[in-house]
Amino acid sequence: MVLLGVLLVLLAGGAVALVLTEESARYILFGYTFEPDQVEMFLVGAATAAVLLAGIWLIGSGSRRSARRRRRLRGARAEASSRVARLEDEKRELEKRLEHNPEPGDRLVARGSEDTRP
């Protein structure tokens, strides 16, 4: 949306620049010659202003949408990070508890080389 808005603003700016640089009211565009009267010139100016405003509106709405999406993503990352931190804390607490009060069967015992398997 932002790209389309920028394109419309540039298009309207190009139309204004074309009108300002011409010395006469005769315009040649894509091989066609236009010679608008005052009413047609007013209507073309109004259309150009509408295109400019539409472009500015598209830029603004696209920027707001992108900012909203970034905010949501930032919140989701923060939530995931807090969940990971909470799980790591729980893991540390469990490890401390097991160090102080080992229950039978909680330790892994390696068999020695003298042990024979049945």
Side-chain angles (χ1 to χ4, degrees):
M1 276 176 74
V2 174
L3 185 62
L4 181 61
V6 169
L7 184 67
L8 289 176
V9 168
L10 290 175
L11 182 66
V16 169
L18 177 69
V19 169
L20 290 178
T21 57
E22 289 293 320
E23 293 179 9
S24 67
R26 177 178 284 174
Y27 303 102
I28 300 172
L29 190 62
F30 301 119
Y32 296 104
T33 303
F34 300 101
E35 200 167 336
D37 61 2
Q38 294 170 343
V39 173
E40 290 171 340
M41 195 66 152
F42 173 79
L43 293 176
V44 169
T48 302
V51 168
L52 178 68
L53 290 175
I56 291 171
W57 179 79
L58 283 172
I59 290 170
S61 66
S63 297
R64 282 189 299 275
R65 190 171 77 176
S66 296
R68 210 176 314 125
R69 185 175 37 225
R70 281 191 304 269
R71 244 181 276 126
R72 266 186 279 157
L73 183 61
R74 197 177 314 126
R77 284 181 182 160
E79 184 180 328
S81 176
S82 69
R83 262 192 259 139
V84 167
R86 190 171 2 107
L87 288 173
E88 287 176 352
D89 289 342
E90 289 176 7
K91 180 181 173 185
R92 279 190 217 107
E93 288 176 18
L94 182 63
E95 288 174 351
K96 283 182 184 178
R97 203 172 345 127
L98 288 176
E99 283 178 6
H100 295 296
N101 298 327
E103 296 177 12
D106 280 347
R107 292 185 180 171
L108 293 176
V109 179
R111 293 185 183 190
S113 61
E114 65 275 351
D115 290 339
T116 58
R117 294 188 178 176

